[in-house]
Amino acid sequence: MAPGVEDLLRELAPQVLGALLRRYDAFDACEDAVQESLLAAALQWPSEGTPDNPRGWLVTVASRKLVDQVRSEQARRSREHRMALATPQSELFSRAADAEPEADRDDSLALLFLCCHPALSAPSRIALTLRAVGGLTTAQVAAAFLVPEPTMAQRISRAKQTVKASGAPLRMPEAADRAERLGEVLHVLYLIFNEGYTTTDGTDLTAPALSAEAIRLARLLHRLLPEDTETAGLLALMLLTDARRPARIGPDGELVPLAEQDRGRWDHRLVAEGIELISRTLPRGQVGPYQLQAAIAAVHAEAGHVDATDWPQILALYELLEHLAPNPMVTLNRAVAVAMVHGPAAGLDLLATLEPVKRMARHHRLLSTRAHFLELLGRCAAAAEDYREAARRTTSAPERRHLTSRAARLASAPPDRVGGTTSYRRPTSHQ
């Protein structure tokens, strides 16, 4: 299938599903019908040409498929009658299926909110969003999260059933809870992007398809909600972070930390777009966590070399972020900035405050950061042990190799000392 057709179908898929859901309110059946219409378009459009109204074509075909499905299932005869009574035949079997004025509206945003329903768990929200809004197949979603396809199919099916049982209509939430629900939507997109940028499990460091999908959905959300500053902040954060992807992996597939990356390999188009977006967003209103994280990423991106990084500014931004949205991972990253500004001993002191936090005490990122600070202080034996322990605790194979190699390097080399003191090397940032 030609890339142009594929991109168009991915863009239209949530709009067509939204149109059918709004009319028929049957998630499973509507989604199956939409998938069949997308398949039909993928087979016909490259040879016959794209219709003048591609969205209307898909809605019409999907509506026909849905009616065919209903009519072929005797157990659903009552639903067939309801549909037949509610929908004139002329609307089902002509291009007029998408002709009424309200059918031209884009339901993608409402569908995104529906997939991020509060009754669903975070994993279910992610899976349903990727399936229904992102247009990924169940097999693709399962592969991205390294679970068997039947397991993912069950998760998505249960998510649909939960949404159906909630009775939630396909519409934007009321103003009273819209902000909270938008926060859930942004968090789901954030999680999808992070899983793509650094996979939790497996042999590959990244899953580019997931990150690309998160960026696509964030662009969609920003286009539909252009005045929401946190949506703009999240999109800017994704762009600035994903710009580093080409430099994050070495020639042998090894992880390359931020401090050691060849910044000439960064995607400077994404860097420019991200900096421009966050630069015009920050002055517009109340600053939120995603905007602050994007601002931090922008400071890194603006430095032509790691030594040119404005670490005092990054530290100030992390202090503001920690005040606004306290989180152990924020504190961990602030410790890196503290070490850059005040030295590794100060960074170690801040890391010590995280050790009583149960989910952080033996986290591989805390261990690897502490190991690096210890290495900078010349305490190589302790640093090597922390690197090895961090390697044992990570589930990412590339991270495990990276941490193991650092431990091995310390075990085979004496501490690097100049004039009786440890020579200072910049710690690895965990951005």
Side-chain angles (χ1 to χ4, degrees):
M1 181 167 48
V5 172
E6 183 177 3
D7 292 342
L8 179 60
L9 291 178
R10 286 171 67 83
E11 179 181 347
L12 292 176
Q15 300 180 35
V16 177
L17 178 56
L20 262 67
L21 276 175
R22 179 161 34 87
R23 182 178 300 157
Y24 301 121
D25 192 26
F27 208 131
D28 275 328
C30 288
E31 191 190 22
D32 289 343
V34 170
Q35 291 301 315
E36 289 194 44
S37 73
L38 294 174
L39 177 60
L43 294 173
Q44 295 180 34
W45 291 3
S47 59
E48 299 178 8
T50 303
D52 294 335
N53 180 3
R55 182 178 183 275
W57 190 98
L58 290 169
V59 170
T60 299
V61 172
S63 297
R64 291 173 178 171
K65 298 289 186 182
L66 182 60
V67 172
D68 289 344
Q69 289 173 19
V70 173
R71 286 176 173 167
S72 67
E73 298 175 13
Q74 295 298 323
R76 299 186 181 182
R77 190 166 297 278
S78 62
R79 184 184 298 172
E80 175 189 354
H81 291 322
R82 289 200 303 271
M83 286 186 179
L85 291 173
T87 308
Q89 290 292 316
S90 61
E91 290 190 12
L92 293 176
F93 292 95
S94 71
R95 193 171 292 277
D98 196 44
E100 68 269 22
E102 75 165 5
D104 282 335
R105 74 186 187 198
D106 188 344
D107 287 304
S108 299
L109 183 58
L111 181 60
L112 189 54
F113 273 82
L114 187 66
C115 291
C116 296
H117 194 280
L120 297 174
S121 66
S124 294
R125 292 175 190 169
I126 292 172
L128 189 57
T129 297
L130 289 173
R131 182 74 177 88
V133 187
L136 274 66
T137 66
T138 301
Q140 288 173 321
V141 180
F145 289 93
L146 300 176
V147 300
E149 185 175 350
T151 300
M152 184 57 69
Q154 290 176 1
R155 180 180 299 173
I156 293 173
S157 178
R158 286 194 298 267
K160 293 176 186 176
Q161 292 168 7
T162 299
V163 170
K164 180 179 180 180
S166 74
L170 181 70
R171 67 182 181 214
M172 287 293 291
E174 299 296 331
D177 65 348
R178 187 175 302 167
E180 180 181 352
R181 291 285 298 278
L182 178 59
E184 294 166 355
V185 170
L186 294 176
H187 185 58
V188 164
L189 298 183
Y190 182 70
L191 292 175
I192 293 172
F193 177 83
N194 284 344
E195 182 62 27
Y197 190 69
T198 304
T199 57
T200 304
D201 301 286
T203 58
D204 296 326
L205 177 65
T206 65
L210 278 182
S211 293
E213 186 58 27
I215 291 174
R216 188 185 76 84
L217 294 176
R219 288 189 187 279
L220 170 65
L221 191 60
H222 178 53
R223 186 173 76 238
L224 296 173
L225 296 175
E227 300 304 316
D228 186 75
T229 53
E230 274 293 80
T231 299
L234 177 60
L235 176 56
L237 173 63
M238 290 180 178
L239 296 173
L240 289 164
T241 305
D242 203 56
R244 306 173 193 160
R245 182 190 300 279
R248 292 185 71 224
I249 304 175
D252 297 321
E254 72 275 15
L255 182 154
V256 181
L258 176 61
E260 300 170 17
Q261 289 173 13
D262 176 2
R263 300 186 176 210
R265 297 184 60 204
W266 287 1
D267 187 327
H268 295 288
R269 179 185 60 82
L270 291 183
V271 168
E273 183 183 359
I275 290 177
E276 190 277 331
L277 179 56
I278 193 59
S279 296
R280 61 182 165 86
T281 299
L282 282 173
R284 285 172 45 199
Q286 184 176 2
V287 175
Y290 293 121
Q291 294 170 74
L292 288 173
Q293 291 179 71
I296 293 168
V299 175
H300 281 293
E302 289 171 332
H305 187 273
V306 63
D307 291 330
T309 305
D310 188 346
W311 284 104
Q313 183 180 0
I314 290 177
L315 177 56
L317 288 168
Y318 268 124
E319 289 171 345
L320 182 56
L321 178 59
E322 191 170 39
H323 174 75
L324 193 63
N327 182 289
M329 281 298 176
V330 174
T331 303
L332 177 64
N333 282 313
R334 182 165 72 88
V336 174
V338 165
M340 296 302 304
V341 176
H342 302 296
L348 275 178
D349 289 340
L350 182 52
L351 284 185
T353 67
L354 291 174
E355 292 175 5
V357 181
K358 186 175 181 180
R359 68 188 181 98
M360 289 296 297
R362 307 303 293 171
H363 195 287
H364 75 278
R365 295 203 186 280
L366 186 147
L367 288 164
S368 62
T369 304
R370 187 172 68 191
H372 197 65
F373 293 166
L374 290 169
E375 179 184 357
L376 294 173
L377 291 169
R379 298 166 58 183
C380 295
E385 179 54 36
D386 272 352
Y387 277 134
R388 284 191 289 267
E389 184 62 23
R392 284 192 287 267
R393 290 183 176 273
T394 184
T395 53
S396 166
E399 286 188 334
R400 185 180 304 114
R401 290 193 298 268
H402 172 72
L403 295 167
T404 300
S405 69
R406 284 189 175 266
R409 176 173 53 81
L410 287 179
S412 62
D416 181 13
R417 294 182 179 277
V418 176
T421 60
T422 303
S423 65
Y424 189 79
R425 295 189 303 276
R426 295 188 179 278
T428 300
S429 173
H430 292 270
Q431 296 298 315

